[in-house]
Amino acid sequence: MLLLIEGIFVPHVTPFDDAEEINEEALRELVEHFINSGIYGLVTLGSNGEFPYLSYEERKRVLKIVVDQTNGRVPVIGGTAFSSTKETIALTKEAWDIGVDAVIIAPPYYFKPSPRELYYHYAAIIEATDVPILIYNVPKFTGYNIPLEVINRLAEEYSQIIGIKDSSGLISRIGELIRTLGDKISILAGTGDLIYPALSLGAHGAVVAVANVAPRLCVDLYSAFKEKKFERAKRIQLKLNYLNEVVVKRYNQLSAIKESMNMLGLNVGLPRSPILPLSEEELHEVEKVLEDIGLI
């Protein structure tokens, strides 16, 4: 039986030490922190995990650490995207052997594929593996949206497709995914400002960057919605909108999210070069939003 993805998943950061090397101790502590926060599952090596900056071997190491530390308590979804189909297939197989519950795959980046090439890319991965797969639409970083007709065709033809994380920020697009595929696969909001709107249209949950900073708030929003406490859910969503505006939209989210987590006592370090730390002025703005919504 394929995994049912619902609730709030955190696309967690990859902690680095001062030499920009993987900080295993901090990563294990981070897994405990998120599980204790009530998070429904972990997405390892998503965008916030800085996967393009990690080597193949480093990605395997991160997956092994997270799967080992989680020890089956919540699902782990591993990011296995490369620009080439061949490398994506190889890491997808490795991730499954390591013990992830599913993988999430962003489309090829740098060279923009045609819809026909996109379909072939995902179909080739599916046919070469036995792994449950989530499609990851993230135009902020790839430069394009995966066409809806490609997603629909893949979901109709392959039962291995179990969900999609849509980070387009477009509620109209998420709504269309729910309309066409909501009874077949999990539709997950991919931006922190659209959790409540997406749930209200029938989404199954969310995988959002702000869950790194405010996991309990994100889980509380989902719980309030499921309990039909809609006014409470709306109030939490407005707090998360403010947080999302500053740490995801206003500044480089890799730096802003890690800086926020460091302020909260989570030793995650800074992003790998060439991403730079925030300026003093930017740090003050991040600290202010954390204070304003009651996190510090």
Side-chain angles (χ1 to χ4, degrees):
M1 181 178 178
L2 292 177
L3 181 68
L4 175 64
I5 304 297
E6 59 183 1
I8 303 297
F9 280 63
V10 56
H12 64 84
V13 303
T14 301
F16 296 130
D17 61 22
D18 292 341
E20 297 189 3
E21 298 298 328
I22 295 165
N23 187 334
E24 178 173 341
E25 180 182 356
L27 180 53
R28 289 183 181 276
E29 291 174 354
L30 201 58
V31 170
E32 293 303 314
H33 167 71
F34 287 130
I35 291 175
N36 291 335
S37 298
I39 215 77
Y40 282 67
L42 304 169
V43 174
T44 303
L45 300 179
S47 299
N48 295 283
E50 299 176 62
F51 74 85
Y53 291 168
L54 273 64
S55 69
Y56 189 96
E57 290 302 317
E58 285 178 319
R59 296 194 204 186
K60 284 169 55 180
R61 183 180 173 214
V62 169
L63 289 169
K64 286 177 181 177
I65 293 168
V66 173
V67 168
D68 178 67
Q69 189 65 35
T70 303
N71 195 27
R73 290 175 289 173
V74 297
V76 176
I77 300 172
T80 59
F82 280 90
S83 274
S84 77
T85 306
K86 182 178 179 180
E87 282 186 297
T88 306
I89 289 171
L91 186 57
T92 298
K93 290 179 176 179
E94 293 266 17
W96 189 242
D97 289 341
I98 288 167
V100 301
D101 298 282
V103 298
I104 184 166
I105 302 176
Y109 42 95
Y110 192 84
F111 296 114
K112 181 182 177 181
S114 68
R116 185 170 69 91
E117 290 164 336
L118 275 173
Y119 171 82
Y120 168 82
H121 176 71
Y122 281 103
I125 297 164
I126 294 164
E127 291 179 7
T129 67
D130 296 316
V131 186
I133 293 171
L134 289 92
I135 296 170
Y136 180 17
N137 183 56
V138 58
K140 177 178 179 178
F141 297 130
T142 62
Y144 63 92
N145 279 299
I146 303 173
L148 292 173
E149 59 268 24
V150 172
I151 297 168
N152 282 321
R153 183 180 173 191
L154 288 165
E156 291 287 347
E157 294 182 4
Y158 295 106
S159 61
Q160 269 172 257
I161 299 291
I162 64 168
I164 178 166
K165 174 189 176 184
D166 189 275
S167 298
S168 66
L170 300 172
I171 193 62
S172 57
R173 179 182 164 94
I174 293 172
E176 186 63 7
L177 286 166
I178 293 166
R179 184 186 71 81
T180 56
L181 295 174
D183 61 345
K184 296 182 181 70
I185 65 174
S186 294
I187 311 298
L188 306 168
T191 58
D193 52 354
L194 289 184
I195 303 173
Y196 181 90
L199 290 174
S200 69
L201 289 180
H204 301 82
V207 182
V208 288
V210 291
N212 279 285
V213 183
R216 284 191 173 88
L217 271 181
C218 294
V219 171
D220 286 350
L221 190 164
Y222 181 78
S223 297
F225 183 87
K226 298 301 283 186
E227 294 166 7
K228 302 189 186 306
K229 298 176 181 177
F230 299 125
E231 289 305 315
R232 172 172 170 73
K234 290 176 189 176
R235 288 195 299 271
I236 298 171
Q237 180 66 78
L238 291 175
K239 284 186 177 184
L240 291 175
N241 284 6
Y242 178 25
L243 178 65
N244 191 74
E245 180 64 32
V246 175
V247 303
V248 175
K249 292 185 176 181
R250 189 168 302 174
Y251 306 123
N252 187 311
Q253 75 179 68
L254 298 179
S255 292
I257 287 171
K258 279 192 163 178
E259 298 274 25
S260 300
M261 297 173 77
N262 289 327
M263 289 178 187
L264 296 172
L266 300 166
N267 178 31
V268 298
L270 295 172
R272 274 192 171 168
S273 304
I275 305 300
L276 294 175
L278 299 183
S279 68
E280 285 298 317
E281 181 180 345
E282 291 167 343
L283 284 171
H284 288 314
E285 184 76 14
V286 168
E287 186 175 27
K288 182 179 185 299
V289 68
L290 296 181
E291 291 174 348
D292 288 349
I293 67 174
L295 294 178
I296 57 175

